[in-house]
Amino acid sequence: PGRDLLKGVRQAPAHVVVIVVVVTVIAVVALKAYSGAGTPLRGGFPSGHAAVAFAAWMAITLIVLPLTHGALVSTLAFLVALLVAQSRVEAGFHSSAEVVAGALLGSGVTILLFQIWG
């Protein structure tokens, strides 16, 4: 089972994951500039940390879900993304709405780009 997981990850479209992260960061910076809240690297709408964390979770999910133990790996990645989002709210850098917006942005960009190039 572990070999299947590693084999599947090795065959994953790494270039799509890089594109996902780059597009997500650009979208976050553009939305922060448009909203005028926060700076590109701190605070504001949406949360960049949440966007990248949820983009990573979605990419991991799309890559490993068909594999043995893929659901477990996806669940663990989701929990990490939730912890990132929660830490942004607890630290006072973002509101819950900003974190949710970041999570939706990151997940949405990932799904879209995997549909196009995945």
Side-chain angles (χ1 to χ4, degrees):
R3 266 192 202 152
D4 292 341
L5 183 63
L6 289 175
K7 185 178 176 183
V9 170
R10 284 190 193 123
Q11 295 173 351
H15 64 285
V16 177
V17 176
V18 172
I19 293 168
V20 161
V21 171
V22 169
V23 170
T24 300
V25 170
I26 290 170
V28 166
V29 171
L31 285 169
K32 285 185 179 199
Y34 180 76
S35 70
T39 67
L41 300 177
R42 185 176 173 125
F45 176 87
S47 167
H49 284 83
V52 171
F54 277 86
W57 161 66
M58 187 58 66
I60 289 167
T61 298
L62 294 170
I63 291 167
V64 303
L65 203 53
L67 307 173
T68 307
H69 305 298
L72 174 62
V73 173
S74 173
T75 301
L76 292 173
F78 179 72
L79 292 174
V80 170
L82 279 177
L83 287 172
V84 169
Q86 183 230 1
S87 74
R88 306 311 291 168
V89 174
E90 269 193 26
F93 293 125
H94 292 285
S95 68
S96 295
E98 291 167 342
V99 165
V100 169
L104 292 173
L105 175 67
S107 299
V109 164
T110 305
I111 291 169
L112 177 68
L113 293 179
F114 265 80
Q115 287 295 317
I116 293 171
W117 287 304

